[in-house]
Each structure stands twice: as C-alpha cells, then as structure tokens.
Amino acid sequence: MRNYFIVILLLTNAISFSQQENEISDSDYKKLQARARLNINNSVDSSFYYANKIEKSSNNIHKAFAKGIKSYLYQKKNDTIQSNKNYVLANEFINKSSDSYEKTRTKALILNYKGLTEWKRKNFSEALKSYFKAKELSNLINEKALVITLNTNIALLYADTGDFDNAIKITKQSNKFIDKNSLLYDDESLKLNKSLINLNIGNYFFKKYVEDTKSIEFLDSSEVYFQKCIVFSKKIHENKFIAQRNLASIYHFKGKYDKAELLLVSALSISKDKKFENEYFDIIYNIGDLNYYKKDYLKALIYFKKTDSIYLRSKISPINYIKSNYFQAKIYDSIGDNEKALYHSKIYLNNFEKNEFKENNEIAKVNFLRNNENVKEEISKIITQSERKILFRNIILVISILFALIIVYFLWRNIKIKNKTQLLFDEFKSNNIKLTDFNVADLKKLIKPSSISISEEKEKELLEKLKDLEKKNYFLRQDFSQTFVSKKLKTNTTYISVIVNKYYNKTFSEYSNELKINYVINEMLNNPTYRKYSTQAIAESVGFKNNVSFTKSFNKRTGLTPAQFIKNIEDKVNL
C-alpha cells in the first residue's frame, strides 16, 4: 500500500512538473515573441528556435502566433506544404481563444505573415488582401507599431508592381512616424525597423534608376539610404548583406570598382559566416563580373571558375553559371585562347537553350542574357572566329615546326663543319653602395617628439614670415626646403612642419610643390612666352630637379600634363 501511494505521488509530481513546463508567463511570451520576430530576417533558424519554444505553451494564442510565424519561415525555406499546414493550425488555435486585445493583435500578426508568405510566392493580390485585413484589425486596437510594419510591407508590394513613387511615399511616412514615436520600440526593434525602412527606400530608388538610367539622382538617393541601412544593421546580417551588395552595384554603375569590390568582399564574408548559400554563390559571381569590367581578367577568371564549380556541385542558380561562361568566352576570345573560348561559348549556348527563366521584376532588371538574340549572335560569332583562328593557328604551327627543323638542320651542319662552338656570356659589374653613417646626434634629430607646444603668438609670427617668403617667391629656389625655411625664419624644422600642417593641412613637400605648380599655372595663363618653354625649362624655373617629378606634380594638381594644359590655353586664345 505504501509503495502504491509513492507511485501516485511521483506521477502527480511528474504531471504537475510537465504542466509547469508548458506554462509560459506573459512577460516570457513577449520576450520570446520579440526574439522570433527580430530574427525573421536575420536568422531563420534562430526564429524557428524561438517559435518552437512558444509552441510548447499551453496557451492557444501563444500556439497561434508560433504557427503563424512558422508558416512564413517554412515558405522562406521554400517548403510550401508545411507553410500551408502551419497557417491552417494558426487559425484553428486563434479561433479557440476568447476575444481579447491579444487575440486581435495575434490575428493581425498571423495575417501579416500570410501576406509575407503570398508575397514570397509572388501572389501579390492575395498578399495585399491579407495586409489590408491585418491593418484593419491593428487600427481597431490602435496598434500603431504594427500598422507601420504593415505599411512597409504594402509599400514593398507597390514597388513590385512598378509603383515606386507610392512605395517611397508610404515608407518615408513610416520612417517619420518611427522617428517621432521611438519610445514605442525597444532598441532592437527600433534598429530592425530603421534597417528595413532604409533598405526598402534604397531599393525603390535603385529600381527607379534601373528604369531611367539618365536620372543619376535616383542612384545617389539609393546610395544614401543603403548606407543608412548598414548603420542600423550591425546585427541584422541579412539586411546588411543586401545593402552592401546593392551599394556595390551602385559603385559598379558609377565606375568606382575598388569601392564596389570592398563591399562585395565584406558581403561575401557575411554570407559565408551566416551560411547564406544562395547569396554566397551570387557574390562569388558578382566579384567575377566586377573584375571583368575592371579588365582584371585573371582575377575575374578565378571567380568565374569558382562559380562554375559551385554550380556543378550544388546546381544553385543556373543563371549565374550561364553568365559566367558567357564572360569566360569573351575573356578567352580577347586573349586569343581560342580553344577555351570555343569551350565556354558552347557551354553558354547549350545551357541557355535548356533553361527558361520566369520573368519577374528583379530578374528582368539584372538578367541581360534572357531572350537576348544579340548575345546569341555574339557568342555564335565567337565560335566561328575561334574555329577559324584555331585552324589558321594549327597551319602556322605546322609551318613553324617545319621551318624550325630546317633551321636546326642547317645549324647542326654548320656546327659540324666548323667543329666548334662559341659561348657568349654577359658580364655583370656590381656597384659598391656606400651607406651613410649616422651618429647618435643625427639619429636623435630623426625622432619626432610625441607632442609639440608652440605659443599662439609664436605661431602667428612664423606664419606671417612664411607668407612673406611666399610673396617674395622664395619657393622657386631649388634649395627651398624645411631646412632652408627654418634657417631663414630663425627657427627649427619641426616648428615649420607643425605650422604648415596646421594652417595648410599639408606636408611641407606638398605645400612647396603646390606653390610651385600654382606659380606655373599662373605664368602659363598670363605669359605667352612662358608657354613656349620646354617642360624641362619650366621645371627648372620653379626649382624642380627634373621634368619627371614636375610633370607628376603638375598632373596631380591639374589632371593634365603641362603640354596638354598649354595646348588647351592656346586653343582658347586662338578662338
């Protein structure tokens, strides 16, 4: 009997413990919900983790939210069957709960995830219906923050249907609301909303530019908003990745290839760390594409070959694979490797004909290969030319071999007749380099003090004296240096360096060169005789040791060589 009671007691405790495990307090639920929502665009797996924890609750509203968010998360993983199942279960759980503020809010959230799911499936009209229903419920309970989220999603739909102006207008209104009501959000939610809003506005302006490439102001606006997005996306990796990738495209359009590559490499690191497989593949291709336009063909080929390797292993995105082989065909054709040009051209044509791409706004703007007959003709031309060049090269090769054999035969016969061989060697003379010996005193002079203090009165005095030297054209002397100036002003070189750096924001060398070049420009503009001097004579007239350093400084200052600059002046004078 005693054992029986013990068993009953243990079972009761186990049931009680199990029930406690399934009980989630309102405060814990809000924390878990916030984590699930915050990670929805940052880490799908993390969002799933928090949703699964919420789903263990015995509260039907909690379960409804968990199933609702999971319906969208499954769609992000392209699992439509599980997405539909979870949406049905979300509605079943919410309908079991009693009417309340939290029930209405959760219904609005579920409808929002339904809208996101349909948007992901490109069912725009169904998505819009879900958003409008969710917005109506949110207004009913005065849930302003959720209304802003829904407006942001509605704007995305408008943009996908080509109405960029309305999309920008709505999103900017949301941005103003968030700025005025920042206290409604915790720090993470605020950053997430600001990140998404700036990312979306940047995308809208970018798409407007793609449709109207003459309006460079759209590209400039897009750049500003993507940069803002990055500021708010330090921990929102997916948004940061997209913003950096799009910024790279902007710099690519503007010809700022080095900046574009830095952003792509950073985005590559993010995609690798966060295991964004599709995005990683896309960036690999984009770096190859960028280096192609930089004409760094060797580097471009490295990334194009990596693109091919990833595709052949995982079959991700045939579009990048096709474009990669198109560019490889172009590169090998340009460097005269006709066999490889032919090989990649055939891969391009064979795969292009096999693949039919669905037309959508995103692909339509960036996929210049789709249904492009001009590209097909270009590739066909490369194939024909490559085949001809290979045939011609083989003929030349055979002739060259025969000619070489004939030469070898005559050389061999000549050697045999003469019965001796002469070897010629180049004699190299090595020059002894004398190293300058530094004594301790000299070495100490080279060490700059950690901080230099000059009185304001002394600074002004030295600056006035320096300007007086400028007026007297002392800078034209070949020996015009810090040492020369310090002796002239009866001070030391360190003080001269500090004054020039502080008041001119330059090193002494830059300051000196700029004075000389400015003098030359002035003389060229006003003195016809001066324009007739040789470059060497002009260089010597302002104290340059040679015309090479002078031309380099002149070009840095004007963007032209002295000869080009003089020609421009003469052309204007003769008009």
Side-chain angles (χ1 to χ4, degrees), residues 156 195-196 198-207 209-210 218-227 229-230 238-254 256 259-268 270 279 282-283 286 290 362 365-366:
L156 282 168
S195 167
L196 282 170
N198 283 292
L199 178 65
N200 291 341
I201 297 176
N203 278 325
Y204 304 150
F205 275 115
F206 185 75
K207 289 177 181 178
Y209 170 76
V210 171
F218 295 151
L219 202 60
D220 293 337
S221 296
S222 180
E223 181 180 349
V224 169
Y225 283 102
F226 284 139
Q227 287 172 339
C229 173
I230 290 171
E238 186 173 351
N239 291 359
K240 184 179 180 181
F241 169 85
I242 295 169
Q244 288 187 336
R245 182 187 62 191
N246 291 349
L247 258 181
S249 297
I250 290 171
Y251 290 139
H252 192 161
F253 280 129
K254 290 185 173 183
K256 298 177 180 179
K259 277 191 171 183
E261 188 164 13
L262 281 173
L263 286 168
L264 286 175
V265 169
S266 177
L268 184 69
I270 293 171
E279 290 81 359
D282 187 53
I283 293 296
N286 278 317
L290 177 68
E362 290 74 26
K365 299 298 184 291
V366 296

Side-chain angles (χ1 to χ4, degrees), residues 478 535-536 539-540 543-552:
Q478 199 172 68
T535 304
Q536 180 66 37
E540 289 174 356
F544 277 93
K545 293 180 180 179
N546 57 67
N547 63 354
V548 175
S549 60
F550 165 69
T551 301
K552 186 177 179 181

